[in-house]
């Protein structure tokens, strides 16, 4: 039996650790609940007509997502949704007073253009997509008056009812349009509502509006409303291209949720919104991109239903939007922006630099220009250098500076270990577990597993080096080593955040506010600590608390923002893609562990220079390590998925055809979008495994591999897949359901040769397919021109290990054929691989889809593939 004797310092340190860990852990775990419950209010079904009503908005969402079946391109529900929206707008128009002019238009847009999406080159061709446009203005307004656009899309992704994405956006826009009319407010400038019907097909509806609509040149500002989940705070993700839109948001938002750092992160997230069409690709219009980010478990799944909407979220967003629209229309800058777009005045007429901004618990906004940030964010570095000079002026400035830099290195080492330790434990856990992502359906597990080990990383440097090896001579300075070490640790940590703040500024990024706030909070805490030392002594609990209390606003904000960020990342891990083994299996756990480590370092790290002395005990380190191992062991008992956090599976019935009625091959192709492979899926879905004849000795290596080119119908999303497999399927049911298959015909057999080139005129017949979502052409060979995208070829792609090719996606009604031409600059053959995505499944495929357990969300469709040589 081993007997451990605890010193009084150990006991106090242990209690302090428990208090710190419990507070931080509870705040981290409860942030999940707080974020979801922040705006929760009961639905007011009797809200006055001059107020935004979530109840009325939810009724619109119910009609769009439940009463109308399927708002995907190619399905009848999309046309019904357009009719419903137009009908509601007509009702609103009939209620308008005599001092308002309300105009409603239904436009069918067609076009073609090239795009870089998810890092891949692609051409897009579309026809007859429906946009519904409404313009509300005063009776005295002119058609050329500068206007404010609010945009949202009413189409939904494959297999999803689209209650959150983006039925909630359309419902909010309908309610705001009603509110403008019923409240008696007459907009100072016109407000245009664009209900676009083709966003999920890569922003086609907004492109059609910007290329063809008569009001496009009048837009002085825009708000794009989107949803990457079913609610929560509506985060301002992008703002620009000037600082004016974010300034308007800061002044107008009732429940602000914004951080300029989001603009640094958003470009690396796999996805895009209509914001890029208005503000970057086809306009230089200042605008806001406001997105629901939480509830991402259900994003683009069949679980995106009305009962998953987070109560109160729509109310908060609606009140925000109405206030922002009012502020935009009343802004003196709107006319200047209009002139910018219509006459060509440069954006530098006001301010072409993005601002620095952040909300604080959605209570208020902090906002300042980059010019102000240049001065403000330089202050911490100046203070760091100034203090090293002031402390060393009586003996040696260089010695003090070197001590401060040693403190900087010690703090940087501890912060690095705070990330490395949870990552190491996450990898270790996977060595003894048969499944990854156990925290996916239980986000609190991530905090319980990784926070203690991250704190261990922060404490290790303090335990190894109780005192920093000083460059200053104690006999000359006449200050104890303990005091000098504490000073070096503090100013080193302060310098760490000061240098990060300057690095953000110099690199042109927008996220420097958080590190600036941390450094200023630390400086305030240090002043409080120094004053308290004179009264109570350095080792007094009161003195320690005098350091902690000024840091509470900073730490609390870090926990709030960190909880939001970690919840968002955890929810998105289910759709980030399955990377190739063996390392792909570890990636999600490593990402979440490192994120928790970064956030723990950010929240707890500023406390370490003073509180670390109480916590740096071997007994405390042992407790944290034991707790980490215990929590990792317990976590293995949790299943990664649930109906509230489903696993995503893509099921493609691949049909290779020849001619208009011959089937060459029929297969069921499967892929997953996270690190738990299909083998995991079959082990936990026995009915599916039985139907596919998957036995206990099944392995991915021995299965038929589904090649990347087999997934061309959903390019470029297919780049998220690896280790896809396929199984043979019966052909007979296909022939019963389809009379004709898609086929390419040569219109003019006599090829035209001009200036050494030849042009092939083609006609695409889509057969008897009824619910076509998209058609993809993969063209290889000496292609030099074509009839798409204004006769401009996109960049080439190397797809599925094949030669370089050009890829074009076509969408629109399938009741008529596509005609186009391809031009080659040599006699070498052109090869066209065709894939047509039909949303209907044949009977056996439907039955197979129905066998999956309810914790699996299956996106299922049929892909008709054929190849041609010209």
């Amino acid at each position: 039996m081993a007997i451990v004797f605890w010193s009084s310092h150990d006991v106090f340190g242990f209690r302090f650790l428990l208090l710190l860990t419990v507070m931080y852990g509870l705040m981290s775990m409860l942030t999940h609940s707080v974020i979801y419950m922040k705006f929760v209010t009961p639905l007011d079904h009797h809200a006055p007509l001059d107020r935004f009503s979530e109840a009325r908005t939810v009724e619109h969402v119910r009609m769009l997502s439940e009463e109308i079946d399927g708002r995907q391109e190619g399905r009848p529900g999309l046309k019904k949704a357009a009719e419903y929206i137009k009908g509601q707008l007509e009702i609103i128009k009939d209620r308008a007073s005599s001092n308002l002019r309300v105009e409603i238009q239904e436009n069918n847009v067609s076009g073609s253009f090239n795009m870089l999406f998810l890092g891949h080159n692609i051409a897009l061709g579309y026809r007859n997509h429906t946009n519904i446009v409404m313009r509300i203005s005063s009776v005295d307004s002119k058609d050329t008056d500068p206007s404010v656009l609010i945009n949202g899309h009413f189409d939904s992704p494959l297999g999803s009812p689209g209650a959150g994405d983006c039925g909630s956006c359309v419902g909010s826009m309908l309610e705001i349009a009603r509110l403008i009319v019923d409240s008696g407010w007459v907009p100072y400038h016109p407000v245009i509502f664009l209900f676009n019907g083709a966003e999920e097909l890569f922003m086609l509806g907004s492109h059609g509006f910007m290329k063809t609509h008569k009001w496009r040149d009048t837009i002085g500002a825009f708000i794009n409303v989107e949803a990457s989940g079913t609610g929560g705070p509506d985060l301002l993700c992008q703002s620009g291209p000037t600082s004016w839109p974010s300034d308007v948001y800061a002044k107008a938002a009732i429940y602000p949720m914004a951080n300029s750092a989001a603009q640094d992160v958003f470009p690396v997230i796999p996805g895009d919104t209509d914001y890029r069409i208005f503000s970057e690709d086809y306009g230089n219009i200042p605008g806001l991109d406001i997105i629901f980010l939480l509830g991402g478990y259900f994003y683009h799944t069949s679980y995106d239903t009305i009962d998953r909407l987070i109560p109160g979220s729509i109310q908060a967003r609606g009140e925000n939007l109405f206030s922002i629209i009012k502020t935009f229309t009343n802004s003196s800058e709107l006319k200047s922006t209009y002139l910018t777009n219509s006459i060509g005045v440069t954006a530098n007429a006001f301010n072409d630099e993005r601002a620095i901004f952040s909300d604080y618990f959605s209570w208020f906004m902090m906002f300042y220009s980059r010019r102000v940030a240049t001065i403000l964010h330089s202050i911490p570095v100046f203070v760091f250098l100034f203090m090293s000079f002031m402390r060393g002026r009586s003996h040696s400035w260089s010695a003090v500076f070197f001590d401060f830099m040693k403190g900087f290195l010690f703090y940087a080492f501890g912060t690095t270990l705070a990330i490395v330790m949870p990552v190491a434990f996450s990898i270790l856990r996977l060595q003894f577990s048969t499944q990854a992502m156990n925290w996916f359906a239980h986000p609190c597990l991530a905090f319980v597993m990784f926070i203690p080990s991250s704190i261990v990383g922060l404490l290790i440097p303090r335990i190894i080096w109780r005192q920093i090896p000083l460059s200053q001579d104690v006999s000359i300075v006449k200050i104890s080593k303990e005091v000098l070490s504490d000073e070096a640790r503090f100013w080193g940590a302060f310098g760490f955040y000061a240098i990060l703040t300057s690095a953000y500024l110099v690199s042109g990024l927008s996220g420097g506010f958080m590190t600036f706030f941390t450094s200023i909070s630390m400086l305030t805490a240090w002043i409080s600590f120094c004053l308290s030392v004179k009264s109570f002594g350095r080792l007094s609990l009161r003195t320690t608390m005098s350091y902690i209390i000024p840091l509470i606003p900073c730490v609390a904000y870090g926990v709030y923002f960190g909880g939001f960020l970690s919840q968002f990342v955890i929810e998105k891990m289910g759709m980030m893609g399955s990377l190739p083994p063996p390392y792909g299996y570890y990636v999600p756990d490593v990402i979440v562990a490192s994120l928790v480590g970064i956030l723990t370092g950010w929240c707890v790290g500023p406390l370490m220079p003073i509180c670390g002395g109480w916590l740096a005990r071997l007994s405390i380190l042992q407790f944290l390590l034991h707790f980490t191992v215990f929590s990792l062991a317990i976590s293995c008992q949790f299943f990664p998925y649930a109906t509230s956090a489903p696993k995503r599976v893509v099921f493609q019935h691949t049909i290779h055809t020849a001619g208009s009625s011959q089937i060459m091959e029929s297969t069921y192709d499967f892929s997953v979008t996270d690190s738990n492979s299909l083998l995991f899926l079959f082990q936990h879905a026995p009915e599916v495994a039985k139907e596919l004849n998957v036995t206990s000795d099944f392995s991915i290596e021995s299965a038929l591999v589904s090649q990347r080119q087999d997934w061309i119908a959903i390019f470029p999303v297919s780049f998220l897949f690896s280790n896809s497999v396929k199984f043979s399927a019966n052909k007979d049911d296909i022939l019963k359901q389809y009379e004709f298959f898609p086929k390419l015909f040569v219109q003019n057999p006599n090829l035209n040769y001009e200036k050494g080139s030849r042009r092939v005129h083609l006609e695409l017949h889509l057969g008897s397919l009824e619910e076509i979502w998209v058609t993809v052409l993969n063209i290889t060979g000496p292609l030099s021109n074509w009839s798409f995208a204004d006769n401009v070829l996109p960049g080439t792609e190397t797809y599925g290990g094949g030669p370089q090719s050009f890829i074009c996606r076509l969408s629109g009604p399938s009741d008529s054929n596509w005609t186009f031409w391809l031009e080659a600059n040599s006699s070498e053959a052109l090869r066209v691989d065709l894939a047509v995505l039909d949303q209907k499944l044949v009977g056996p495929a439907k039955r197979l889809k129905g066998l999956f357990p309810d914790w699996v969300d299956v996106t299922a469709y049929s892909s008709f593939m054929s190849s041609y040589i010209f």
Side-chain angles (χ1 to χ4, degrees):
M1 174 184 288
I3 302 177
V4 178
F5 294 95
W6 293 65
S7 70
S8 60
H9 285 298
D10 285 336
V11 173
F12 178 80
F14 185 72
R15 289 175 180 171
F16 186 81
L17 169 72
L18 284 178
L19 177 64
L20 180 66
T21 305
V22 169
M23 287 178 61
Y24 177 60
L26 285 176
M27 288 175 71
S28 299
M29 292 185 286
L30 289 177
T31 296
H32 164 256
S33 301
V34 171
I35 287 170
Y36 277 93
M37 296 175 63
K38 182 175 179 63
F39 302 118
V40 173
T41 55
L43 293 184
D44 185 359
H45 294 275
H46 304 287
L49 294 179
D50 60 348
R51 287 187 56 196
F52 184 92
S53 169
E54 183 175 53
R56 286 188 284 262
T57 304
V58 169
E59 180 59 24
H60 291 310
V61 180
R62 187 188 67 80
M63 291 296 299
L64 290 167
S65 60
E66 291 184 352
E67 298 300 320
I68 296 174
D69 181 25
R71 306 194 314 273
Q72 293 80 14
E73 171 58 38
R75 299 191 65 188
L78 188 62
K79 183 178 180 180
K80 292 179 181 178
E83 292 171 352
Y84 173 80
I85 292 168
K86 189 174 181 181
Q88 292 299 307
L89 296 180
E90 293 288 354
I91 294 173
I92 294 170
K93 180 180 180 179
D94 292 340
R95 296 166 59 164
S97 62
S98 58
N99 56 356
L100 285 177
R101 178 190 300 165
V102 179
E103 302 166 80
I104 301 171
Q105 296 182 0
E106 179 177 344
N107 304 120
N108 290 326
V109 294
S110 303
S112 184
F113 63 104
N114 296 326
M115 172 182 278
L116 184 67
F117 187 78
L118 299 182
H120 297 280
N121 296 289
I122 191 168
L124 302 165
Y126 62 97
R127 63 186 182 189
N128 297 329
H129 287 307
T130 301
N131 286 340
I132 309 294
V133 187
M134 181 189 210
R135 185 176 185 264
I136 302 177
S137 60
S138 69
V139 292
D140 300 324
S141 67
K142 301 176 183 178
D143 285 344
T144 57
D145 284 351
S147 57
V148 177
L149 173 76
I150 177 169
N151 171 74
H153 67 92
F154 62 88
D155 65 320
S156 58
L158 283 175
S160 176
D165 181 25
C166 208
S168 66
C169 310
V170 173
S172 297
M173 290 168 62
L174 288 172
E175 175 62 6
I176 290 171
R178 180 208 62 78
L179 181 57
I180 292 175
V181 169
D182 287 346
S183 65
W185 174 55
V186 179
Y188 186 70
H189 288 103
V191 179
I192 297 174
F193 292 85
L194 171 58
F195 301 86
N196 89 68
E199 189 272 348
E200 299 292 355
L201 294 163
F202 300 173
M203 291 78 75
L204 304 183
S206 55
H207 176 269
F209 177 87
M210 290 300 295
K211 296 295 287 186
T212 64
H213 202 279
K214 66 177 183 178
W215 291 330
R216 61 182 176 176
D217 288 329
T218 70
I219 300 171
F222 74 92
I223 306 169
N224 182 56
V225 189
E226 254 293 359
S228 185
T230 54
D234 49 323
L235 181 69
L236 174 59
C237 289
Q238 298 182 92
S239 170
T242 70
S243 63
W244 172 54
S246 52
D247 184 29
V248 168
Y249 181 90
K251 293 175 180 176
I254 299 172
Y255 306 102
M257 182 65 184
N259 195 302
S260 51
Q263 300 184 129
D264 304 330
V265 177
F266 194 85
V268 303
I269 296 175
D272 227 325
T273 72
D274 285 319
Y275 175 89
R276 68 175 286 183
I277 299 295
F278 300 120
S279 187
E280 298 170 0
D281 293 356
Y282 294 92
N284 191 37
I285 308 172
L288 305 170
D289 200 14
I290 300 176
I291 305 178
F292 275 164
L293 286 186
L294 297 184
Y297 289 126
F298 316 115
Y299 174 66
H300 283 201
T301 73
S302 60
Y303 289 98
D304 185 9
T305 54
I306 194 169
D307 57 303
R308 302 288 185 180
L309 295 177
I310 301 171
S313 301
I314 291 177
Q315 182 68 35
R317 178 169 69 181
E319 293 181 23
N320 271 352
L321 289 175
F322 189 56
S323 178
I324 294 167
I325 291 170
K326 278 187 169 183
T327 307
F328 264 133
T329 58
N330 293 330
S331 173
S332 61
E333 299 287 3
L334 186 65
K335 188 173 183 180
S336 298
T337 310
Y338 164 68
L339 292 173
T340 299
N341 295 322
S342 301
I343 304 177
V345 177
T346 64
N348 290 324
F350 31 100
N351 182 4
D352 63 350
E353 292 185 331
R354 290 176 174 173
I356 309 298
F357 54 86
S358 176
D359 73 286
Y360 189 78
F361 286 97
S362 291
W363 295 340
F364 57 88
M365 282 278 291
M366 291 156 286
F367 176 94
Y368 46 92
S369 68
R370 185 167 291 276
R371 187 174 300 175
V372 172
T374 303
I375 300 172
L376 207 59
H377 290 192
S378 301
I379 291 175
V381 168
F382 173 77
V383 170
F384 177 74
L385 296 174
F386 177 76
M387 287 304 300
S388 62
F389 173 77
M390 291 297 295
R391 293 293 294 166
R393 62 179 179 173
S394 61
H395 49 286
S396 173
W397 176 84
S398 60
V400 175
F401 179 75
F402 284 136
D403 284 345
F404 284 8
M405 288 308 298
K406 289 175 186 177
F408 172 88
L409 294 174
F410 273 75
Y411 188 81
F413 180 50
T415 303
T416 303
L417 287 179
I419 302 170
V420 170
M421 290 296 289
V423 168
F425 276 107
S426 71
I427 295 173
L428 180 65
R429 186 190 73 84
L430 292 177
Q431 304 303 314
F432 302 96
S433 176
T434 58
Q435 58 199 28
M437 299 173 57
N438 295 67
W439 37 260
F440 181 64
H442 318 279
C444 294
L445 272 181
F447 300 123
V448 173
M449 287 191 295
F450 300 132
I451 288 176
S453 58
S454 183
I455 295 176
V456 168
L458 289 172
L459 292 175
I460 284 176
R462 189 68 178 256
I463 291 175
I464 296 176
W465 295 282
R466 303 297 299 184
Q467 294 179 2
I468 293 179
L470 299 170
S471 299
Q472 300 175 74
D473 190 336
V474 177
S475 62
I476 297 176
V477 180
K478 301 187 184 304
I479 300 176
S480 68
K481 289 184 178 180
E482 291 78 7
V483 173
L484 291 177
S485 292
D486 283 347
E487 285 188 351
R489 287 190 180 95
F490 171 80
W491 288 109
F494 177 86
F496 179 83
Y497 291 105
I499 291 172
L500 277 182
T501 303
S502 297
Y504 269 116
L505 189 66
V506 172
S507 62
L509 298 176
S510 304
F513 171 78
M514 293 183 289
T515 52
F516 171 75
F517 184 33
T518 303
S519 59
I520 295 301
S521 298
M522 289 183 68
L523 186 60
T524 306
W526 180 252
I527 294 172
S528 173
F529 174 78
C530 292
L531 293 175
S532 184
V533 166
K534 295 179 180 179
S535 302
F536 305 108
R538 182 169 293 272
L539 299 179
S540 169
L541 176 60
R542 292 184 181 182
T543 303
T544 303
M545 293 307 297
S546 71
Y547 179 81
I548 294 174
I549 290 172
L551 281 172
I552 288 177
C554 173
V555 173
Y557 175 75
V559 173
Y560 166 73
F561 182 82
F564 177 88
L565 179 61
S566 58
Q567 181 68 32
F568 169 74
V569 171
I570 287 172
E571 290 178 351
K572 291 303 180 187
M573 282 296 105
M575 58 177 293
M576 295 301 287
S578 57
L579 299 175
Y583 304 112
Y585 178 66
Y586 300 93
V587 169
D589 281 81
V590 167
I591 290 175
V592 170
S594 55
L595 176 62
V596 173
I598 291 170
L599 296 175
T600 302
W602 177 27
C603 296
V604 181
L607 301 170
M608 285 295 110
I610 302 303
C611 302
W614 298 101
L615 299 175
R617 314 285 176 185
L618 286 176
S619 54
I620 292 177
L621 196 68
Q622 290 173 359
F623 169 78
L624 288 172
L625 291 173
H626 290 161
F627 185 85
T628 297
V629 173
F630 175 76
S631 61
L632 292 175
I634 292 296
S635 70
C636 294
Q637 307 306 311
F638 287 83
F639 193 67
Y641 307 102
T643 53
S644 58
K647 180 176 179 62
R648 298 167 188 254
V649 175
V650 183
F651 168 27
Q652 174 180 280
H653 185 187
T654 309
I655 304 160
H656 291 271
T657 65
S660 58
S661 58
Q662 184 179 359
I663 299 175
M664 305 301 294
E665 184 184 26
S666 173
T667 59
Y668 294 148
D669 295 54
F670 294 91
S671 194
V672 294
T673 59
D674 63 31
S675 61
N676 284 315
S677 69
L678 286 167
L679 180 60
F680 167 90
L681 177 68
F682 295 143
Q683 288 173 347
H684 293 88
E687 292 186 10
V688 177
K690 181 179 178 181
E691 182 71 15
L692 295 172
N693 296 319
V694 174
T695 60
S696 58
D697 59 347
F698 174 85
S699 67
I700 301 295
E701 292 76 16
S702 62
L704 291 174
V705 177
S706 181
Q707 302 294 336
R708 182 160 288 167
Q709 54 264 34
D710 294 329
W711 300 91
I712 188 69
I714 55 174
F715 174 88
V717 178
S718 49
F719 275 89
L720 298 175
F721 303 161
S722 67
N723 277 349
S724 306
V725 300
K726 60 184 177 181
F727 302 87
S728 296
N730 196 297
K731 304 176 184 178
D732 298 336
D733 294 281
I734 304 170
L735 295 170
K736 293 177 184 177
Q737 183 163 316
Y738 298 98
E739 184 178 2
F740 300 109
F741 301 134
K743 185 180 178 181
L744 267 177
F745 298 89
V746 177
Q747 276 189 316
N748 183 3
N750 300 315
L751 303 181
N752 297 322
Y753 289 87
E754 297 179 2
K755 299 179 181 179
S757 64
R758 58 189 178 92
R759 182 172 292 183
V760 185
H761 293 265
L762 299 172
E763 182 174 354
L764 171 58
H765 181 256
L766 296 171
S768 53
L769 280 61
E770 297 179 2
E771 295 185 355
I772 295 175
W773 192 57
V774 71
T775 298
V776 179
L777 306 173
N778 183 28
I779 306 168
T780 55
L783 184 68
S784 58
N785 202 351
W786 60 5
S787 56
F788 300 115
D790 298 323
N791 309 129
V792 177
L793 294 173
T796 57
E797 289 287 326
T798 302
Y799 193 75
Q804 289 189 334
S805 62
F806 300 91
I807 296 179
C808 180
R809 285 171 52 115
L810 306 175
S811 65
S814 57
D815 52 358
S816 60
N817 295 348
W818 286 89
T819 58
F820 57 94
W821 53 262
L822 305 176
E823 189 172 275
N825 56 13
S826 74
S827 59
E828 184 183 346
L830 287 171
R831 177 187 172 99
V832 180
D833 294 309
L834 173 69
V836 182
L837 192 157
D838 186 25
Q839 295 165 81
K840 280 196 170 184
L841 295 173
V842 297
K846 282 184 182 178
R847 288 193 295 273
L848 178 58
K849 179 186 176 183
L851 294 177
F852 283 88
D854 58 3
W855 52 267
V856 177
D857 180 78
V858 183
T859 300
Y861 57 88
S862 302
S863 177
F864 291 81
M865 302 184 68
S866 53
S867 298
Y868 306 87
I869 303 294
F870 301 107

